[in-house]
Each structure stands twice: as structure tokens, then as C-alpha cells.
Amino acid sequence: MMSSYKTILLLLYTFFILNETVGQGFDISVNAVYGTYQMKSMSNFQKELYMDAISSLDVPFKITDDFPGYIGYELTTKIPQANYSYGVNFAFRSTGGRISYSDYSGKYTIDNKVRAYECMGSIGTNLYKIKKISFDLSGYLGIAYTDYQLSSAFQINDLESEFSSISFSSL
């Protein structure tokens, strides 16, 4: 997991340095985006896992992450024409949930990680342009690959940890 300081530096670097590189007839941009997610069914599933964990083990678990917003990344390429443009966009987004407990004797975590990889084609038209500012209307059509991983890790002191994981994906 990246520290908050490194995440902020990466975000600033991406925004100020790489935000918009323009070639002759070819635009490319790299953007960091902050996404929030309405993951009600995943949150409910995590609450079920939590109830199962506290009822079967005498451990005071806590839900420490419940699918919060997180930084994602987008790479956009665009070829502008006289009154329209077309291009390809790639994106990565993620969020997750965690149930955990730790103390002096060890730790136990149950993680729910969700990642999405997107590839989209775009086509748009220029509605209005004033000097270097333009207003465009664009449409996107694409595909997303989503990966879900449910894992648990159990470690007592410095002993080797027990780890189990199951993954699902969709296209």
C-alpha cells in the first residue's frame, strides 16, 4: 500500500507534469482521478462476513475499510479533426473493504479487493471554441474487466502467516 505522502506526490506530478501533452494532430493525457463507489451489495456482503467472523471466533473484529473512494488512473489518446475527434481511453480503478483485528500477539485480516480495468473508444464533436478553451460533446463505448479478490491472513507473533484467497472476475 502506498503511503499518503507518496500518493499525494504522484497525484501532483501526474496533474501538473503529465496532464496534457499535445503533439501534431495527436493529444495524450494521463490523469489521476478520485473515484467514489456505491457498493451497497459488497458492503452488505462484508457485513455478513463480519457477523460470521465474530460469531465463530472470539475476536473483537472491526470493519476498518468499507469500500472508500480511492485514486484511479486514466490514459487518454485523442486525434482531433476539424469538427470532431476520436480516440482510445484506458483506465484503472480500485476500492476495497477490510475486516481486521491486531494486538501484541498477532493479527487477523479479511480483505475484499475490487479492481476494474477499462478500455474505451471515444468519438466527439466540438460544440464551441474560444481561443484555447473548447467545449466538446463525446461518447464512449468500451469494455471493463473487473477482478474481485477475497483473502484472509492470520499471523501469530513472528510465526509464518496462514493465508487463503479466492478470486472472481467479470468482463
Side-chain angles (χ1 to χ4, degrees):
M1 197 97 186
M2 201 181 305
S3 73
S4 297
Y5 178 72
K6 288 181 182 178
T7 302
I8 290 170
L9 281 178
L10 181 62
L11 179 63
L12 289 172
Y13 176 77
T14 303
F15 182 76
F16 288 114
I17 305 299
L18 299 175
N19 190 35
E20 192 77 26
T21 304
V22 180
Q24 294 189 11
F26 184 78
D27 296 350
I28 185 168
S29 64
V30 178
N31 300 298
V33 296
Y34 184 79
T36 58
Y37 309 97
Q38 187 176 23
M39 309 274 297
K40 188 172 183 172
S41 61
M42 291 299 292
S43 185
N44 289 340
F45 175 63
Q46 180 164 273
K47 287 175 185 154
E48 287 178 31
L49 287 173
Y50 171 76
M51 295 307 292
D52 288 346
I54 63 170
S55 67
S56 61
L57 300 170
D58 189 23
V59 176
F61 285 106
K62 296 233 186 287
I63 295 177
T64 57
D65 286 317
D66 195 14
F67 303 94
Y70 200 70
I71 295 174
Y73 302 94
E74 295 178 349
L75 171 66
T76 302
T77 60
K78 184 169 67 169
I79 299 173
Q81 300 298 315
N83 292 323
Y84 69 96
S85 64
Y86 58 93
V88 179
N89 304 29
F90 300 97
F92 168 76
R93 306 174 200 301
S94 67
T95 187
R98 172 173 275 183
I99 301 167
S100 78
Y101 176 76
S102 65
D103 64 14
Y104 67 92
S105 64
K107 64 181 178 178
Y108 193 172
T109 59
I110 302 169
D111 287 328
N112 292 289
K113 296 178 184 174
V114 183
R115 295 181 198 103
Y117 306 88
E118 302 169 1
C119 178
M120 300 169 280
S122 68
I123 189 162
T125 184
N126 181 265
L127 297 176
Y128 190 70
K129 187 170 186 175
I130 305 171
K131 294 183 182 179
K132 291 187 177 187
I133 298 174
S134 66
F135 297 95
D136 298 335
L137 177 64
S138 299
Y140 298 88
L141 182 62
I143 191 165
Y145 172 79
T146 305
D147 179 47
Y148 168 72
Q149 182 182 30
L150 174 63
S151 61
S152 66
F154 177 66
Q155 183 175 10
I156 296 177
N157 289 330
D158 295 331
L159 300 175
E160 189 172 320
S161 65
E162 250 183 71
F163 181 80
S164 64
S165 176
I166 187 167
S167 295
F168 301 94
S169 61
S170 69
L171 188 63

